[in-house]
Amino acid sequence: EVDGELLSYISLMEQDGMDELVLKEAQKRKGKAGLQGELTCTPVKDYTEATEEEQGLIPSPATGEPTLTAPRDFNLMFQTNVGAMSDAASVAYLRPETAQGIFTNFKNVMATGRVKVPFGIGQIGKAFRNEITPRNFIFRSREFEQMEIEYFIPPDEDCWKGFHDKWLQDAYDFLISIGLNPAFLSYDVHADHKLAHYARACTDIMFKFPFGTQELQGVAARGCFDLSAHADASGKSMEYYDEERKEKYVPHVIEPSIGVDRLMLAVLTSAYCIDEVGGEERTLLKFHPKLAPIKAAVFPLVKNKPEVMEKARAIFDRLQRRYVVEFDASGAIGRRYRRMDEVGTPFCITVDFETLDDDTVTLRERDSTEQRRMTIPELLEYLEEQIEG
């Protein structure tokens, strides 16, 4: 608006910095219209929050013309048919999340596992969603791998927040422990009016991907909605008898949930790095040793000396019993280092003539490029500590 008079509507695809983009575009349109006066922009909101009259005036972000249709219902679940006949009775849906299998098996796990509240059930598996616009590499797809935990807690009004906060911190610590860059992480606390009808709270851990900041992991306090809904539909009680409290209740749930595919994309984004070594540009992947596909590489200094090759091969064979390792005897040592840097191998082990005399090798670390001399037993102990410790 200019001095309270409508100038135009602006629409954008969801992205970072939308308020700044709207203001820039509004200033451009004001100048093009030759208007004077005070320019004001209303806060950016979702298209579905606009009135029917406003929707008829909002331009498409692709064409700039008001050609957008009204929002319509869209089924995000994949429909299929089970059995020989394809009729209404055979309709089934692929699961859109892994969680519900946990709730249906709650009583079985509770009885066979002899567990006590609080306890959790974790699951990893395929989920399917009929995404309207799959995009951004492996970030949003119609078939994906998902990890979820349903952590069952007492129903007391004053205890769920402590469990929720603890899981948020544990989830954040886990992401840091596998090598995610803390500078790329942030929190998005869902406002009360945007929560699912059954949720008490939900906080997303966000990650700054190359295409913008998006949800990486969610931690939700879901109350007892899921267990109660399954009990109502099945006619089977989902109550838990608490020995200490001498009472029955339906446990409430804290649910940490994360997509494995987008987690791997976050790992790759955090790991990708370009730096300079010895005045030359170097591209590398700074994978945490526990996640690196190749844990170490063994290099014989020269390949035309059988005794050096034999010693290097013996070390390689020994490491290969425990880790995924590479053996590379081709090219100069510097080139071999760069090849391993590019695939994220954290440690390179060089076997030379000195190894034949004192059974020591040169260990080179990927990130610092620091080299140190150590014995074979020291090498094995060091790799175990770095990879598994």
Side-chain angles (χ1 to χ4, degrees), residues 73-203:
D73 289 334
F74 185 84
N75 192 348
L76 282 173
M77 292 199 299
F78 270 115
Q79 181 176 318
T80 187
N81 295 90
V82 178
M85 302 296 292
S86 295
D87 53 23
S90 69
V91 171
Y93 296 91
L94 301 181
R95 65 179 183 185
E97 63 177 9
T98 59
Q100 296 310 316
I102 296 176
F103 293 118
T104 56
N105 287 328
F106 169 73
K107 293 285 282 189
N108 179 268
V109 172
M110 189 174 63
T112 58
R114 302 175 65 191
V115 291
K116 295 182 179 181
V117 171
F119 72 93
I121 304 174
Q123 182 167 323
I124 179 171
K126 290 288 186 185
F128 305 85
R129 291 182 189 170
N130 190 19
E131 293 288 354
I132 304 171
T133 53
R135 61 184 184 274
N136 294 334
F137 191 34
I138 59 174
F139 178 82
R140 188 178 296 282
S141 56
R142 292 190 171 111
E143 176 184 342
F144 55 95
E145 199 83 14
Q146 189 177 31
M147 298 190 294
E148 292 183 304
I149 294 173
E150 303 305 327
Y151 192 74
F152 299 97
I153 64 173
D156 304 323
E157 191 64 34
D158 59 350
C159 81
W160 68 266
K161 192 174 188 312
F163 283 109
H164 186 254
D165 291 344
K166 179 67 165 56
W167 270 106
L168 259 179
Q169 186 60 54
D170 288 348
Y172 182 88
D173 292 343
F174 164 73
L175 296 174
I176 298 300
S177 75
I178 61 173
L180 266 60
N181 188 340
F184 293 165
L185 293 172
S186 59
Y187 291 105
D188 178 24
V189 180
H190 291 210
D192 289 345
H193 70 281
K194 290 191 174 182
L195 289 173
H197 65 90
Y198 53 79
R200 291 184 164 191
C202 184
T203 299

Side-chain angles (χ1 to χ4, degrees), residues 253-272:
V253 163
I254 304 295
E255 180 192 73
S257 176
I258 188 168
V260 181
D261 308 82
R262 62 179 61 183
L263 176 57
M264 281 309 305
L265 186 57
V267 168
L268 286 167
T269 302
S270 294
Y272 181 77

